[in-house]
Amino acid sequence: MNWKILALSSAIFAGLSAVFGKAGISPEANPNVVTSLRTVVILGVSVAVVSFRSEWSSSGLDGKSLGFITLSGLATGVSWLCYFQALQDGQAAEVDPIDKLSIVVSVLLAYLFLGEKLAWTGLLGVAFILSGTLLILKS
C-alpha cells in the first residue's frame, strides 16, 4: 500500500483516537490507568496482526534497531501519559493541535539527527502548522 495512503489513514485513526479518548475519559478516571488500558488494546491488536501474517520470525531487527525502537516506545508511553492527562482537563479540539506540534519537533529532530532535508515548501508547511496551532489556542 502507498505510504501516503497509510499516513492519511494514520491521521484519520489518530483523530478518531482523540475523540474516542475524550469521550471515554471521565473527570474521575485515572489518566494513567486509561493509558495502560489503551496500551493493552494496542498490544493485542499488534500481536494479532503479526500472528495472523506469520511475521514473528522475520522481524529484521538488530541490536541497534531494538535499542531505538525501545526508546521510541518509551517516548510514546510518556507522550500518551501526558496526552490523556491533558485530554481529561482540556478540550480535544485544543489538546490535539498542541499534541500535533510533534510534527514540528519531528521535522526539527530529523534534520538535526538524521540529516533529513526539507524543501522550502515543507518548511512553509511546518510554519503553517505552528501558526495554525497558535491561532487555535487564541480562540
Side-chain angles (χ1 to χ4, degrees):
M1 190 178 298
N2 181 302
W3 70 266
K4 291 179 182 177
I5 292 170
L6 290 170
L8 180 59
S9 299
S10 175
I12 291 167
F13 283 108
L16 287 170
S17 174
V19 172
F20 293 157
K22 179 62 180 177
I25 190 165
S26 66
E28 302 82 28
N30 182 326
N32 296 331
V33 173
V34 170
T35 301
S36 296
L37 291 173
R38 178 186 188 209
T39 303
V40 168
V41 171
I42 293 166
L43 177 63
V45 170
S46 297
V47 167
V49 168
V50 171
S51 296
F52 179 76
R53 294 175 61 163
S54 301
E55 296 174 333
W56 286 108
S57 63
S58 61
S59 74
L61 297 172
D62 59 13
K64 179 181 174 184
S65 295
L66 284 173
F68 278 111
I69 295 301
T70 300
L71 288 173
S72 174
L74 290 171
T76 298
V78 172
S79 170
W80 287 355
L81 289 169
C82 295
Y83 179 76
F84 271 99
Q85 183 68 56
L87 261 187
Q88 186 175 39
D89 299 335
Q91 295 184 44
E94 294 175 326
V95 170
D96 244 37
I98 295 170
D99 178 63
K100 296 312 179 245
L101 285 176
S102 62
I103 297 167
V104 176
V105 173
S106 295
V107 168
L108 177 63
L109 293 177
Y111 173 77
L112 292 174
F113 296 108
L114 302 177
E116 293 184 6
K117 305 265 186 281
L118 208 58
W120 73 269
T121 52
L123 291 173
L124 185 61
V126 169
F128 283 146
I129 291 167
L130 185 58
S131 60
T133 301
L134 294 173
L135 285 172
I136 288 170
L137 294 177
K138 286 284 188 186
S139 51

